[in-house]
Amino acid sequence: MNDTLVAEFRALIESLLAELEQDEARGREGQATVELDQQAVGRLSRMDALQNQAMAKAGHARRQAERRRLMAALARIDEGEFGYCEDCGEEIAEGRLRLDPAAPRCISCASG
């Protein structure tokens, strides 16, 4: 993989990381502690708030997992190993990397 293409993927990964940070900032409010004052909020409203909080926490966990994958891809770029399968060492197809720049394996190893 040539340097221009690697630089393009680095920019794409950094852009995806920035989007994740923006999503995380928006999701912080939903993770706040739910007030359980029955006088202030009805039972169904509290249940809805608790469900929304659980969904926000699940979204946070997904964003953190994706952030780890993207950071690992940046580390592979820095080590000169980006674009090569972690299992077989073959080059990962450019199309696969465009769909998922954090993909650590070629399609053969990923599906096997």
Side-chain angles (χ1 to χ4, degrees):
M1 185 172 296
N2 66 41
D3 291 340
T4 305
L5 198 53
V6 170
E8 184 180 329
F9 279 115
R10 177 185 290 278
L12 176 60
I13 291 168
E14 289 172 348
S15 170
L16 291 171
L17 282 168
E19 286 177 28
L20 278 176
E21 288 301 320
Q22 290 174 350
D23 289 347
E24 186 65 22
R26 285 190 294 268
R28 281 191 192 103
E29 182 179 317
Q31 297 176 48
T33 302
V34 175
E35 185 177 322
L36 296 177
D37 180 8
Q38 194 166 9
Q39 302 301 327
V41 180
R43 187 172 137 206
L44 293 177
S45 295
R46 279 196 328 275
M47 289 173 57
D48 188 44
L50 288 169
Q51 181 180 20
N52 287 340
Q53 180 189 39
M55 291 182 352
K57 286 183 177 182
H60 170 74
R62 282 191 304 276
R63 286 188 298 273
Q64 290 305 310
E66 183 64 13
R67 184 180 186 285
R68 284 190 296 274
R69 290 181 71 241
L70 291 168
M71 293 302 291
L74 283 178
R76 286 192 301 275
I77 288 175
D78 292 339
E79 296 165 0
E81 297 176 7
F82 180 79
Y84 296 97
C85 179
E86 288 182 347
D87 292 344
C88 69
E90 294 294 318
E91 192 166 332
I92 300 172
E94 183 180 337
R96 176 168 171 74
L97 290 173
R98 290 208 180 276
L99 289 174
D100 180 10
R105 292 177 183 80
C106 67
I107 194 72
S108 298
C109 292
S111 62

